[in-house]
Amino acid sequence: QVQLVESGGGSAQPGGSLRLSCTISGLQWDYYAIGWFRQAPGKEREGVSCISATQNTSQANSVKDRFTITKDKNVVYLQMNSLKPEDTAVYYCAAYWLSCGEDGPRGGDAWGQGTQVTVSS
């Protein structure tokens, strides 16, 4: 059974930074990519960033120069810099069989419960 737990959300000012963490257990790592998604009020869920089993990464164009995804043991991080109000959303991590897409994750087979990120002055 795969479990994913997000943490690190909160409030930040425009231009500030946050680091989200996704702690994963029960995963057969060689067969899954890990992605970060977000969903803002009134909008559909969108893929943000992805890291593959071979540690290749991809990002959505809207965050490509500001967000960085990394992996350390059983934790996947999303470092979020130069935050903008439009980054406000609930952020989810997910495991996907099998690989990342060109512009981020292709989907999710197992999901975390999400963590709120709010960017405002």
Side-chain angles (χ1 to χ4, degrees):
Q1 182 178 351
V2 178
Q3 291 185 322
L4 304 93
V5 180
E6 301 95 337
S7 63
S11 298
Q13 294 183 331
S17 298
L18 289 171
R19 188 181 71 167
L20 307 183
S21 300
C22 177
T23 302
I24 304 166
S25 62
L27 186 69
Q28 194 169 15
W29 288 97
D30 289 348
Y31 296 95
Y32 287 89
I34 306 299
W36 283 97
F37 295 77
R38 66 186 182 187
Q39 187 167 22
K43 295 185 177 180
E44 295 184 353
R45 181 177 293 176
E46 64 172 333
V48 174
S49 189
C50 184
I51 186 165
S52 74
T54 55
Q55 301 211 42
N56 293 323
T57 62
S58 63
Q59 301 82 35
N61 288 333
S62 60
V63 306
K64 195 169 186 177
D65 296 323
R66 300 185 295 118
F67 294 6
T68 303
I69 189 168
T70 57
K71 177 179 177 291
D72 182 17
K73 304 297 183 182
N74 67 324
V75 183
V76 175
Y77 300 96
L78 185 67
Q79 179 66 45
M80 308 164 63
N81 297 327
S82 302
L83 285 164
K84 303 175 180 179
E86 52 262 44
D87 295 319
T88 296
V90 177
Y91 284 72
Y92 302 86
C93 62
Y96 181 75
W97 184 285
L98 186 65
S99 62
C100 297
E102 183 175 316
D103 299 319
R106 294 161 60 185
D109 298 309
W111 294 83
Q113 296 182 13
T115 185
Q116 176 71 49
V117 171
T118 302
V119 184
S120 66
S121 58

